[in-house]
Amino acid sequence: MNASPPEGLAPPLAVLLELTHRCPLRCPYCSNPLELERARGELATGQWTRVLDEAAAMGVLQVHFSGGEPTARTDLEALVAHAAGRGLYTNLITSAVLLDRARIAALAAAGLDHVQISFQDSEAAGADRIGGYPGGHAKKLAAAREVKAAGLALTLNAVMHRQNLHHLPEMIELALDLGAGRLEVAHVQYYGWGLANRAALIPTRTQLEAATATVEAARVRHKGRLVIDYVVPDYYARRPKACMGGWARQFLNISPSGKVLPCHAAESIPGLSFENVAQRPLAAIWAQSEAFQRFRGTGWMPEPCRSCARAEIDWGGCRCQAFALAGDAALTDPACALSPHHGAVLALAEAESEAGREAFVYRQIGARIPA
Amino acid sequence: MTEGTLAPDCRPRLAPHVRLRFDAVRARQVLLAPERVLMPDETAVAVLQLCDGERSLAAIAAELAVRYQAPPAVVAADIAEMLQDLVDKGLVLA
């Protein structure tokens, strides 16, 4: 293993802390791994504050407090205050079902910059079914209003898939009604639980095209009032997404137990070993760890990526998706039309989206995943 | 909605959730917003540092025209274009 950091390696822009995998919701597309971390394996407060110190010192600018449900940690306010004290831009990524006025006030006082609340649908029946949590939608609405009342910036994260895409216009209206400055229309990505539930989630091509048109029209109509970010499912794309802005280029993800990952799904790739913040400084892991070096830059690329004009635009797409769909993380992402596996992926998307499966495998510790 | 150009008498300021700060590691100013990190160049930083909600766009342009010894009309047009882009992105209020 080459122990020296790559020349010209820029510091990461952002770190996402999965403070816990505990969560009251059971969303069938959760980005957490299928092997969920138990509470007893979580880092202690003092370990997280040290991670924040190290992140700020190495040039990280933003910290995302995520999970699971990060508000399940009673030390969240202390961690936010610590991060704010180090000059980090603090973002809370939450389901919001545990947030009340007092907690929001405490987080605002701790220096929280921004809150992102996920919504499962635009109305309660669908949302509570998808999230697997009765009463959740009403709690989210109340919490979102409290976030705004506390003067915090709000992003609404609308997670979209075949079973709720018909409500996309209502989701946009909901974002406006709640006073969100930003809306993420995020089509489900097929990793972890989302991959296990792909047949129940993947949109038809017709649905996807309608959604894209709806987003484009809404961007124009609400310009200056609501910023809309759009995350597409790339099974129907011709070119892959620049996943994470390139493997180990801008972003770090830290699991509840302290494992440092280039992305939240990286553990799905066999053969990579991930180092832990309890054992090694974050900066050293970023610069030198084998898992980060493995797909960093363009040196690992096979053809057609290696000689592609887009090599440093989309960075070969997504390594986790290459493994999930083509069986080898070192191949071109099959979302790319230049991949020999692209046709099969497209056929899979069309077949699954037309078959109409509705039942979900809900996220829970020890759930049985059908093969 | 505010389409096109900003009025000379508007008083631009950073949106409440946006922060402009010096980053010692990169030795430059950075603009931080939800899911966004911008690395404004020196000129943009000079503009943003004057966007305090007190000064008008015309006043900012006049101040920078003196500093950079450039024609005020040209400076005003450049600033308006740059700020309009940031207004559209929700980063600046005007």
Side-chain angles (χ1 to χ4, degrees), chain B residues 2 6-8 10-11 19 22 25 33-34 38 42 52-53 58 61-62 75 90 92:
Chain B
T2 52
L6 297 172
C10 73
R11 298 176 191 281
R19 299 213 326 253
F22 185 75
V25 172
L38 278 72
E42 199 181 323
D52 54 9
V75 174
V92 167

Side-chain angles (χ1 to χ4, degrees), chain A residues 2-371:
Chain A
N2 180 3
S4 59
E7 259 184 65
L9 176 66
L13 297 174
V15 59
L16 186 142
L17 310 183
E18 291 177 3
L19 295 180
T20 178
H21 280 162
R22 289 173 284 142
C23 182
L25 268 67
R26 302 186 296 135
C27 304
Y29 42 67
C30 181
S31 64
N32 290 158
L34 298 177
E35 276 302 319
L36 293 165
E37 187 72 52
R38 261 77 167 175
R40 63 177 177 273
E42 293 173 11
L43 294 186
T45 308
Q47 290 174 296
W48 282 123
T49 54
R50 185 174 58 75
V51 166
L52 291 166
D53 291 342
E54 292 183 10
M58 67 192 279
V60 168
L61 298 170
Q62 298 196 324
V63 58
H64 305 287
F65 292 99
S66 185
E69 176 46 52
T71 60
R73 293 267 310 207
T74 53
D75 58 358
L76 179 62
E77 289 86 338
L79 297 177
V80 167
H82 196 88
R86 294 290 177 275
L88 292 161
Y89 189 93
T90 54
N91 178 25
L92 176 63
I93 299 177
T94 179
S95 72
V97 298
L98 303 178
L99 278 179
D100 58 18
R101 181 180 298 177
R103 195 88 200 269
I104 292 165
L107 288 163
L112 186 64
D113 288 302
H114 173 253
V115 180
Q116 173 176 316
I117 300 180
S118 65
F119 277 82
Q120 278 60 51
D121 203 340
S122 59
E123 44 84 35
D128 292 352
R129 174 187 163 254
I130 294 164
Y133 183 73
H137 188 70
K139 289 182 178 173
K140 286 164 183 267
L141 292 174
R145 294 201 164 94
E146 294 291 352
V147 164
K148 282 301 291 182
L152 290 165
L154 174 67
T155 286
L156 194 152
N157 175 244
V159 191
M160 306 308 297
H161 47 82
R162 191 174 74 241
Q163 298 196 40
N164 70 1
L165 267 171
H166 57 289
H167 282 156
L168 178 56
E170 288 83 357
M171 285 289 230
I172 295 168
E173 287 306 313
L174 180 62
L176 291 163
D177 178 50
L178 292 173
R182 183 168 165 273
L183 168 67
E184 274 187 16
V185 176
H187 284 277
V188 167
Q189 303 291 305
Y190 302 108
Y191 306 99
W193 297 91
L195 185 60
N197 282 289
R198 186 180 60 202
L201 296 166
I202 194 163
T204 64
R205 187 192 284 269
T206 309
Q207 271 187 311
L208 176 59
E209 285 169 0
T212 303
T214 299
V215 167
E216 283 170 2
R219 275 179 172 160
V220 173
R221 194 175 330 124
H222 306 302
K223 192 170 170 181
R225 183 173 169 207
L226 180 67
V227 174
I228 305 180
D229 283 351
Y230 189 48
V231 181
V232 297
D234 53 4
Y235 282 42
Y236 294 111
R238 291 195 49 77
R239 291 290 174 265
K241 59 182 175 278
C243 198
M244 300 294 139
W247 181 273
R249 269 189 78 242
Q250 301 181 337
F251 183 81
L252 289 157
N253 188 100
I254 305 182
S255 82
S257 62
K259 272 182 286 186
V260 186
L261 312 171
C263 74
H264 61 267
E267 287 182 277
S268 66
I269 299 175
L272 292 181
S273 60
F274 300 100
E275 299 192 63
N276 194 297
V277 289
Q279 268 101 50
R280 201 179 182 197
L282 193 59
I285 296 175
W286 168 254
Q288 297 167 1
S289 86
E290 197 174 353
F292 278 70
Q293 297 278 54
R294 178 67 184 84
F295 298 113
R296 181 177 262 148
T298 56
W300 62 272
M301 287 182 177
E303 291 296 352
C305 298
R306 181 180 285 269
S307 58
C308 181
R310 293 179 58 85
E312 296 194 359
I313 297 171
D314 57 35
W315 303 96
C318 173
R319 299 304 87 227
C320 303
Q321 189 152 279
F323 173 74
L325 298 178
D328 183 349
L331 291 177
T332 296
D333 184 343
C336 182
L338 299 173
S339 159
H341 300 276
H342 183 71
V345 167
L346 200 55
L348 184 75
E350 285 169 348
E352 286 189 353
S353 64
E354 299 293 343
R357 189 185 120 186
E358 288 197 352
F360 295 131
V361 179
Y362 284 100
R363 170 208 202 269
Q364 62 185 49
I365 289 177
R368 284 201 306 163
I369 314 298

